[in-house]
Amino acid sequence: MPYKISDDCISCGACESECPNKAIKENRDIYEVDPARCSECVGSFTKPQCIEICPVSAPSLDADCHESCEQLLAKWQQLHPGETPKAI
């Protein structure tokens, strides 16, 4: 499942720079996650970086969009062609 950012977001921007897939962008007063780019950090890190860095725990799994580890890794590979995954 890709992540989404709740209304608890304080628009600090910390998550945007930490996302290895550039899936997080500012939209008005809140940051949003592009589900087509979010791999839950599979391929880059062992833990989702948006969750690790967020001071208010605004990111959470999007229950409406379920993806397996294999699907997330395939998404990561599309976004990072020619690179070797660092974490699965």
Side-chain angles (χ1 to χ4, degrees), residues 22-59:
K22 297 181 176 35
I24 301 173
K25 299 289 181 205
E26 187 175 19
N27 185 13
R28 297 185 191 158
D29 295 331
I30 193 169
Y31 281 78
E32 293 182 347
V33 177
D34 178 351
R37 297 189 69 85
C38 180
S39 69
E40 298 177 34
C41 288
V42 168
S44 296
F45 298 98
T46 56
K47 295 181 180 179
Q49 297 303 289
C50 60
I51 296 234
E52 292 293 307
I53 196 74
C54 184
V56 295
S57 302

Side-chain angles (χ1 to χ4, degrees), residues 6-23:
S6 73
D7 291 340
D8 294 336
C9 177
I10 58 172
S11 295
C12 69
C15 59
E16 183 178 25
S17 62
E18 293 297 314
C19 181
N21 297 337
K22 297 181 176 35

Side-chain angles (χ1 to χ4, degrees), residues 4-5 36 49 69 72 86:
K4 63 180 179 178
I5 298 176
Q49 297 303 289
C69 186
L72 293 169
K86 297 175 187 127

